[in-house]
Amino acid sequence: HTAEDGLLPRKNQDYSIDFKLKVLKAIEQQHLSLHQAYVKFNIPTRSIIAKWQKDFTNFGLEGLQPKADKIYE
């Protein structure tokens, strides 16, 4: 079994921009792998962090906004 088996799932969790930045900075500054980062921060899958990295690279802070905040009426 893997380390994340004991952690509570957080699939539908809305992560704040501050939290996302904290994770991305930790990866960069501490040279963490995606695996190390998602275990350390209790994130359900590596793909979530990979998506944040892609969004941040493409759109900067705007890319880390929660999806609901991106809908302008």
Side-chain angles (χ1 to χ4, degrees):
H1 288 292
T2 55
E4 66 270 19
D5 286 347
L7 301 177
L8 293 174
R10 292 175 60 168
K11 283 220 188 318
N12 297 323
Q13 175 91 14
D14 277 332
Y15 298 99
S16 69
I17 293 174
D18 286 345
F19 179 77
K20 293 174 185 178
L21 273 177
K22 184 170 134 185
V23 173
L24 295 178
K25 280 184 184 169
I27 291 169
E28 189 179 316
Q29 293 169 354
Q30 300 169 30
H31 308 289
L32 300 177
S33 68
L34 290 184
H35 178 81
Q36 290 170 316
Y38 90 94
V39 170
K40 176 179 172 124
F41 291 101
N42 190 23
I43 296 168
T45 67
R46 285 176 279 206
S47 62
I48 291 176
I49 301 173
K51 181 182 181 322
W52 296 346
Q53 288 177 319
K54 186 175 154 208
D55 289 346
F56 187 65
T57 300
N58 292 335
F59 307 109
L61 283 177
E62 187 84 6
L64 298 181
Q65 295 279 348
K67 294 293 177 251
D69 292 353
K70 288 186 181 174
I71 299 168
Y72 303 109
E73 299 192 35

